[in-house]
Amino acid sequence: MPASDLPLLIDAARIAGRVATSFAGKSAQRWDKPGGAGPVTEADLAVNGLLENVLLLARPDYGWLSEETEDGTKRLGHDRVFIVDPIDGTRSFTEGADTWAHAIAVAEHGQITAAVIYLPLRGLLYSAARGAGAQLNGQPIRASGIGAFEEATILAAKPALHGTAWLSGACPSFKPAYRPSLAYRLGLVAQARFDAMLTLRPSWEWDIAAGALIVSEAGGTITDQRGAPLRFNGADPRLDGVVAGGSLIHAALLEALV
């Protein structure tokens, strides 16, 4: 059902964008989650409630996994599950920046079948359905064909640049860059604005699920940091880091990592 799910996800993302942008980023009510889990705002919760209502009304037999909904085991009994980050890049949102995104995906038996990443303030809508390719604002996109570190620009946070992460004891000679939203980073890789991205920290499924399909449908490769395929709707919804990029630079990164 990926082809029929994708229009639903696109419509839901656009509605979410209207709700989120109705809140003024810097003045939106904000508080910190317990255990150092980061900030949350009234906009995150409003978008989460909207998406849960819209999506589950349309697909009542699907499960639900979202950053802003208390998790449980019920979703594990569903063949298909929505995996949602209502606002990926909440810190960016609270600062009044424009690099936050809505990330919405459908997983079927552990594999993503339809996905959308939407940045309303940038007018960017990345989308993909399994077997149908990836698009940005309705136009096909392809991941990078670069394979040499010397030619590559790679999205990575500072911990991934430490020498201890690399077999040689030093970070390879790629040009590093950074964007605050993991979902947006994956979209940028899918459109070859950047050659690859990596994060070596445990990564929540809702940050990665939508981008995983968009990268792979754009001809790229995405795995965990050990090179294992990603599976979604796990009992513990965390992944062992993520490496994504064009197939050549992805392979080079895996060979170079500890």
Side-chain angles (χ1 to χ4, degrees):
M1 195 180 286
S4 60
D5 280 338
L6 185 56
L8 171 65
L9 301 192
I10 291 172
D11 288 346
R14 292 196 183 281
I15 297 169
R18 291 196 290 273
V19 170
T21 54
S22 72
F23 293 85
K26 290 185 177 182
S27 62
Q29 205 172 10
R30 166 188 167 159
W31 53 98
D32 290 320
K33 298 179 188 178
V40 63
T41 72
E42 57 185 336
D44 293 86
L45 300 185
V47 171
N48 187 65
L50 164 84
L51 290 174
E52 189 168 9
N53 288 334
V54 168
L55 294 173
L56 291 181
L57 182 64
R59 302 285 189 272
D61 56 331
Y62 285 25
W64 180 261
L65 173 63
S66 167
E67 180 176 11
E68 307 304 345
T69 302
E70 185 176 354
D71 193 21
T73 59
K74 183 179 178 182
R75 62 182 170 80
L76 302 176
H78 290 267
D79 291 338
R80 299 184 182 92
V81 178
F82 291 112
I83 302 179
V84 173
D85 194 338
I87 297 180
D88 184 40
T90 297
R91 286 188 179 88
S92 174
F93 179 86
T94 62
E95 292 165 0
D98 61 2
T99 52
W100 51 272
H102 306 300
I104 312 171
V106 173
E108 181 176 354
H109 301 297
Q111 301 297 314
I112 306 302
T113 57
V116 168
I117 297 167
Y118 180 44
L119 284 79
L121 294 183
R122 292 201 160 205
L124 300 174
L125 193 147
Y126 300 90
S127 62
R130 187 170 61 188
Q135 297 186 328
L136 170 58
N137 294 342
Q139 298 302 310
I141 51 176
R142 294 291 297 176
S144 169
I146 285 175
F149 286 131
E150 294 78 10
E151 302 173 17
T153 303
I154 295 177
L155 292 159
K158 287 182 179 179
L161 305 178
H162 293 164
T164 53
W166 306 93
L167 287 172
S168 68
C171 183
S173 56
F174 58 77
K175 180 181 178 182
Y178 181 73
R179 296 293 185 276
S181 161
L182 276 168
Y184 184 31
R185 288 180 229 172
L186 289 166
L188 289 166
V189 168
Q191 71 172 116
R193 277 277 307 278
F194 293 87
D195 302 297
M197 65 79 68
L198 72 154
T199 178
L200 306 181
R201 297 175 175 176
S203 303
W204 293 106
E205 288 188 16
W206 47 73
D207 291 327
I208 304 300
L213 181 68
I214 293 167
V215 167
S216 61
E217 286 293 325
T221 303
I222 183 166
T223 64
D224 73 13
Q225 63 180 309
R226 316 291 174 193
L230 302 182
R231 289 194 62 81
F232 295 90
N233 195 33
D236 179 355
R238 286 177 289 188
L239 307 169
D240 183 18
V242 175
V243 179
S247 58
L248 296 177
I249 201 70
H250 176 273
L253 284 167
L254 288 184
E255 287 183 8
L257 285 166
V258 169

